[in-house]
Structure formats: structure tokens, C-alpha cells
Amino acid sequence: MKPIRSFSDLCAHLARQGRRYRLAVVCGADDSTAQAVMRAVDSGFAEAYFVGRTAEVKQQACVAAAPTEWVHYVDADTDEEAAAAAVRMVGKGEADVLMKGLIHTDTLLRAVLHKEWGILPRGRVLTHIAVAQMESYHKLLFFTDAAVIPYPTQEQRLQQVEYLAQMLHAFGIEEPRLSLIHCAETVSPKFPHTEGYGEICRRAAAGEWGRLVVDGPLDLRTSCDPLTLRVKGIHSPVGGDADALVLPDLETGNLLYKALPLFAAARVAGMLQGTLAPVVLPSRGDSADAKYDSLALATINCR
Amino acid sequence: MKPIRSFSDLCAHLARQGRRYRLAVVCGADDSTAQAVMRAVDSGFAEAYFVGRTAEVKQQACVAAAPTEWVHYVDADTDEEAAAAAVRMVGKGEADVLMKGLIHTDTLLRAVLHKEWGILPRGRVLTHIAVAQMESYHKLLFFTDAAVIPYPTQEQRLQQVEYLAQMLHAFGIEEPRLSLIHCAETVSPKFPHTEGYGEICRRAAAGEWGRLVVDGPLDLRTSCDPLTLRVKGIHSPVGGDADALVLPDLETGNLLYKALPLFAAARVAGMLQGTLAPVVLPSRGDSADAKYDSLALATINCR
């Protein structure tokens, strides 16, 4: 497969596959969610299950205008009931992607993590992966974690690397380059997370996650700018050409996630990884375009 | 005074003052340092003291081409001796700004922090302040700390706010707006630094740092984008129009410092605050322009 190098590559790839993924959309009666979902249906890669107060969904112009066999409705009166119903659909294998509409993140996550019928398998780590497309970088840039784990433990970081590797391979990148980010290029006991970076590099080199080049600690410039790497006289197999960044913690991940659209006109998408099915968890303020991008990102990560 | 809104405003302001600040330049024989210093001399706001192997400095084209009474030489054979000599000049009041050339940061900082003749007064916090100018933001954006304190304590953060307030006032911003950054807008025990933010807001409101509006926790978007603030229904006195950001820790500060030039074509400058005189501490890879900007930033912070 040819590598996917942009959001438009991604959507073209999904449309070409000829498979419709089943989306369980929780409380999707708001404009931007309904529009994003209908666009995915129209693009040919989605079949939508709107779960919630479906009478409101049917009133949305984009839904009412073009009735299709690929849209279904599951009624639920409260947000809690809608979240539970959608999560159970994923649990029973009746949906491939879970998507949040106009519902509190906490309410949806409580259902996702429910002890009896939740969809996070025991021992799996729930974490966030984002991807940015911007003119100032020559390819997509993936990073983790902008939304879930405050200060990842070494175990959690190892799973973040595994999820990233899976996603990069799903994007058709044969030998992805992954940077473990720190403010400098040296391990320091003042920054305990850097002390585990060596182990991650060794396990990657041993082939634990398939073809994958990992290096770190590296800072953002030595990760993404070959010139800086040369000026600093550093040798790194990532070569200043990173496909993905593992960030130290949630504060750094979130800062990058917010800085890139705000200051670098980046288009960003995000999703949760670790659950039985990918979870799309947009922000209230996201546009229909942003929600569509995140939906596409989640869909390509379906098994 | 009219507020300084760009690097060119800053240099024009310094030139207009008609005062020459004495720069102690440690090991400044490399191209970019010598060029930055000579440009400051030519602009009329600097008098340079090159400390180190000065024969090499004199061979630099920009120095040899235009001999001037405003350039002086202090010979020292080793980097350690040069650092000690320059730091002692600051300690004796013979220099107003200390600038690092081609010397290891550690070597210079050891002299700055020397127990007997160092220039960090007891009880003062050494911290880094940066400023970015970019097309995607309507004014200069200051932030701290990109280079010195790994995880600031509440005491250290209070001094960071004090230094930022002094710098913003020096830039002629009458009532600067300062955001205390976090990934969300709520205080959380999972992120202990957020628990001190309320105290900082209260002390600012009580006038401890002069005219200064402080709010937090706010994320980067609610700090710098009024539209996001409105969509999220948040009321904040910063109003999505921050002049400065206090970042949670060194990893976040450093990430922003590196992301903005790399992805948002920002022009950034930085300096150390807390010492008897401002310290300019450029990276090896910085251009002459970047070093000049940092020099100007430090100079306006001289007493």
C-alpha cells in the first residue's frame, strides 16, 4: 500500500476500500457531529447508528435531505442511556467505531470504562493519539498523549509506543520514525521519564513492534529538523524526520495539540486507543471538518 | 511610553534611549555571536567587552572592518577563566548584560552560580523568559520557563510571575494579561501545579505586581483565542488575549519554544532572569539575528 501522507489521502484510501464501518454515534444531534457523520456516509466508508434522541437527529438538514439505507436510529432518552447503549453495541461487535456527539466526555468515558460492560479490556491502557497536517512539515505528524494520561508510567508509555506503531503501519508507513521527546538530548534523573527511554529504544531495535525506528531523548527540533540535528552534531536514526512523537506527559501533549492549529494553521485530528473499538472524542468547539478528520482517523484503525 | 509590539519596535526603542549598555560577551569569537554583538554596537545601544581569546574575535570580518571606540577586549585563555572574568565584571558593576558565545552552557552557569563571586543573589530564583513574534498572533507572546527550572515549586512560580510582570511593564504594556497554563480550565489534584494557581490570581488581584491581570488554569486556546473562550462559555479576565503564559514546567516551556519557530515561523528570543544582570544564553544553532533579538530583550531588562 502507498503511504497515506495527508487527510485527503486518508479519506480516499477509506473510500477505495469499499467497506462501510459501523459508527455508533452518541447524542449526535448537533450540527457539526451530524454533518461529519453524514459526510462519512456519503464518502462511502461509514454506516451510521445515531444513538440518543433520534427525533432531533432526523430534523438536521443534512440528515433529512438525503435519506439513505446507511443511517439507522437507536432511541435513548438520557445521555447516560445513550452512552450505555452505544458502548454495548461495541461490546457485542455491532459497531466498529464509537463517536461522541453533544454529551459530556465524563459521561461517555464512564460508560466506556464500566466495570461490567465497558469496552477497555483488562490490562489495556486507554490513551490518546493525535495527528497534525500543516504546511510547515513535509508529512503528517502523529503524537501521544494530548488528552488522557496525566503522567504516563513506563508501562503505559510502552503501550503508547505499541499503539503508535500500529497506527503508523495502518497508514502504510513501512518503517516509521518515532521520537521520545525531552527538552534535551540527554537522560537526566531530574526528568524521571527520560530514564525509561533507553529501554524503549532497545525493545524497538529488537523488533518488538515490527519495523520501527525509535530514538530519544530528542527535543522537538532534533526530532523534526535535520538541519538542527547537523548543527548540534548529533547522530540519530530518526534523522530529524520523525513521523511520530511520544511526549513526556499530558501537559506537553495537550499544549502541542492546541498550539499547532492556533499558531501553525495545522489541521489536527485525535482519537482514543486501547478500547475494543476506536473512540472519537472531539471537543465541543471542533468544526464538522475536524470531526470528520477524527472519524476517518479512527476508522482506519478498526480491525 | 508607547507599548513595544515587535522586535523592530524593541530595537528602535533601545536606539532612541541614547544609552549604551555594557555587554560582557564570553567567548564571542564565533560568527553569529560576533555579528549580533557588532549589530548592537552599530545600532547605538551597546558597548561590547569581548572576554576570552580576543585575537580570534579581532579576526572576525565584522569586527575588523569597522574599528570603534565601543568595542573592548579582555583576554582569557580558557573558557573557565573567560566565564569567571565576565561574571566578575557584572558583580563589580562593570557590565550590564552577560552574554554567552561559543562556550558550554554548564561552564558559564557554574560561574554565574559560583558561591563566592557568582551573580545570583541569595533567595532569588534563576529562570528563563522567552518571547515570540509570529504572524498568527496579533502581538508579542511572552512565556516562562523554557530552559532552567524542571518542575517549578509554588515559590519559584511566584517569582516567575514577578519577573514576567517586570518585563511586560518594561515593554510599556500598562495592564498586561497573564495566563497560568494547564490542559483544562479546572484545578485538579492530578496536576499539583494547578492547585497553586488560585493563590497567584488572588495576589495579582491584590496588586502585588502592579497592574497585572492574571487568570488560570486556562489552556492555550482559551488563553490566546477569544472565539474558543466564547464557544466554551468561559468567562476569563484574560479574554483570550494573553500577553504572557506561565507554563507548567520545563518540558512544556521548551516544547513551545521549539515548536513556534519550527512550525509557526516564529521569531523567538530568550534570556535568564534573577541574576544581578540579565544573561543572554543562546543555543549553538541560533542565527545572528536570533542572538541579536535575545540581546535586545536582555538589554531592555537592565536596571
Side-chain angles (χ1 to χ4, degrees):
Chain A
M1 121 181 220
K2 240 180 78 183
I4 294 167
R5 299 219 153 259
S6 65
F7 283 113
S8 65
D9 280 2
L10 170 59
C11 297
H13 172 82
L14 288 170
R16 256 199 319 272
Q17 282 193 319
R19 172 177 165 194
R20 284 191 184 265
Y21 296 86
R22 295 159 303 168
L23 318 179
V25 185
V26 190
C27 304
D30 60 299
D31 292 6
S32 55
T33 303
Q35 283 167 23
V37 170
M38 292 311 295
R39 213 174 123 197
V41 170
D42 293 343
S43 301
F45 65 81
E47 179 173 7
Y49 291 81
F50 284 103
V51 185
R53 285 172 297 278
T54 58
E56 294 171 20
V57 178
K58 288 174 189 168
Q59 282 168 15
Q60 277 286 344
C62 62
V63 178
T68 153
E69 60 184 309
W70 303 113
V71 175
H72 315 279
Y73 301 94
V74 179
D75 265 303
D77 286 335
T78 67
D79 287 359
E80 284 74 15
E81 286 168 19
V87 164
R88 282 170 186 271
M89 284 178 68
V90 171
K92 286 187 277 184
E94 294 167 6
D96 304 301
V97 174
L98 181 66
M99 180 172 186
K100 168 184 172 285
L102 204 62
I103 174 179
H104 281 291
T105 300
D106 287 353
T107 308
L108 184 59
L109 283 186
R110 257 198 306 277
V112 166
L113 301 174
H114 194 277
K115 286 218 173 87
E116 285 160 43
W117 41 264
I119 52 172
L120 184 71
R122 191 184 296 271
R124 294 271 286 180
V125 168
L126 186 74
T127 188
H128 187 269
I129 298 185
V131 58
Q133 174 183 321
M134 50 197 159
E135 282 195 14
S136 47
Y137 200 56
H138 62 289
K139 57 183 173 181
L140 292 173
L141 184 63
F142 295 81
F143 55 98
T144 188
D145 169 332
V148 179
I149 308 177
Y151 298 97
T153 62
Q154 177 74 353
E155 272 314 300
Q156 289 171 323
R157 206 180 308 281
L158 286 162
Q159 283 226 353
Q160 289 179 331
V161 171
E162 181 185 326
Y163 295 155
L164 268 181
Q166 285 165 359
M167 178 165 314
L168 294 160
H169 291 140
F171 271 69
I173 305 167
E174 277 192 16
E175 189 164 41
R177 297 168 181 221
L178 194 157
S179 266
L180 307 171
I181 296 292
H182 175 46
C183 58
E185 283 75 33
T186 42
V187 171
S188 160
K190 286 183 194 163
F191 299 90
H193 52 277
T194 62
E195 298 187 308
Y197 283 5
E199 181 198 357
I200 301 176
C201 296
R202 283 191 299 277
R203 287 170 70 163
E208 179 160 342
W209 302 292
R211 288 184 66 180
L212 181 72
V213 173
V214 178
D215 195 21
L218 290 169
D219 78 6
L220 189 68
R221 284 173 73 164
T222 46
S223 298
C224 296
D225 180 22
L227 183 63
T228 303
L229 198 68
R230 206 156 54 233
V231 168
K232 285 185 140 183
I234 293 167
H235 172 78
S236 162
V238 168
D241 184 32
D243 293 292
L245 316 173
V246 175
L247 292 159
D249 56 34
L250 182 49
E251 292 285 23
T252 40
N254 194 268
L255 188 74
L256 195 63
Y257 192 63
K258 282 161 182 170
L260 295 180
L262 194 56
F263 297 133
R267 198 165 148 181
V268 296
M271 59 169 289
L272 298 189
Q273 196 64 290
T275 39
L276 288 178
V279 177
V280 189
L281 207 76
S283 299
R284 257 175 301 173
D286 282 354
S287 66
D289 285 350
K291 291 183 182 183
Y292 176 74
D293 288 343
S294 292
L295 194 45
L297 178 69
T299 302
I300 199 184
N301 281 281
C302 291
R303 250 151 276 154
Chain B
M1 116 182 224
K2 242 181 78 184
I4 293 166
R5 301 218 152 261
S6 65
F7 282 114
S8 64
D9 279 3
L10 171 60
C11 297
H13 172 83
L14 288 170
R16 256 197 322 270
Q17 281 193 320
R19 174 177 164 192
R20 283 192 185 264
Y21 295 86
R22 297 159 301 169
L23 318 180
V25 185
V26 189
C27 304
D30 60 301
D31 291 7
S32 55
T33 303
Q35 284 169 21
V37 170
M38 292 312 292
R39 213 175 122 196
V41 170
D42 293 342
S43 303
F45 65 81
E47 178 172 6
Y49 291 82
F50 283 103
V51 185
R53 286 172 296 277
T54 59
E56 294 170 22
V57 178
K58 288 174 189 166
Q59 282 167 15
Q60 278 285 342
C62 62
V63 178
T68 153
E69 59 182 312
W70 303 114
V71 174
H72 316 277
Y73 302 93
V74 180
D75 266 303
D77 286 334
T78 67
D79 288 358
E80 284 73 15
E81 285 168 21
V87 164
R88 282 169 186 272
M89 285 179 67
V90 170
K92 285 187 277 184
E94 294 168 7
D96 304 300
V97 174
L98 181 67
M99 181 171 183
K100 167 183 173 284
L102 204 63
I103 174 178
H104 280 292
T105 300
D106 288 353
T107 308
L108 184 59
L109 283 186
R110 256 197 306 277
V112 166
L113 302 174
H114 193 277
K115 284 218 176 85
E116 284 160 44
W117 41 264
I119 53 172
L120 184 70
R122 191 184 297 270
R124 293 272 287 181
V125 169
L126 186 73
T127 188
H128 186 268
I129 299 185
V131 59
Q133 173 182 322
M134 51 196 158
E135 282 195 15
S136 47
Y137 200 55
H138 62 290
K139 57 182 173 183
L140 293 173
L141 185 63
F142 295 80
F143 55 98
T144 187
D145 169 326
V148 180
I149 308 177
Y151 299 96
T153 62
Q154 177 74 354
E155 271 316 300
Q156 289 171 323
R157 205 180 308 280
L158 286 162
Q159 283 225 354
Q160 289 179 332
V161 172
E162 181 185 327
Y163 295 155
L164 267 182
Q166 285 166 1
M167 176 163 318
L168 293 160
H169 291 141
F171 271 68
I173 304 167
E174 278 192 13
E175 190 165 40
R177 298 168 180 220
L178 195 157
S179 266
L180 307 171
I181 297 292
H182 176 45
C183 58
E185 283 76 32
T186 42
V187 171
S188 161
K190 285 183 194 163
F191 299 91
H193 51 278
T194 62
E195 299 187 306
Y197 283 4
E199 181 198 358
I200 301 176
C201 295
R202 283 191 299 277
R203 287 170 70 163
E208 178 159 343
W209 301 293
R211 288 184 67 182
L212 181 71
V213 173
V214 177
D215 195 21
L218 289 170
D219 77 7
L220 189 69
R221 286 173 72 164
T222 47
S223 297
C224 297
D225 180 22
L227 184 62
T228 301
L229 198 67
R230 207 156 53 235
V231 168
K232 285 184 139 185
I234 293 166
H235 172 77
S236 162
V238 168
D241 184 33
D243 292 292
L245 315 173
V246 176
L247 291 160
D249 55 36
L250 182 49
E251 292 285 22
T252 40
N254 194 269
L255 188 75
L256 195 63
Y257 192 64
K258 283 162 180 170
L260 295 180
L262 194 55
F263 297 132
R267 198 165 147 182
V268 296
M271 60 169 287
L272 298 190
Q273 194 64 290
T275 38
L276 288 176
V279 178
V280 188
L281 207 75
S283 298
R284 255 174 302 173
D286 282 354
S287 66
D289 286 350
K291 291 184 181 181
Y292 177 73
D293 288 343
S294 292
L295 194 45
L297 179 70
T299 303
I300 198 185
N301 282 282
C302 291
R303 250 152 278 157

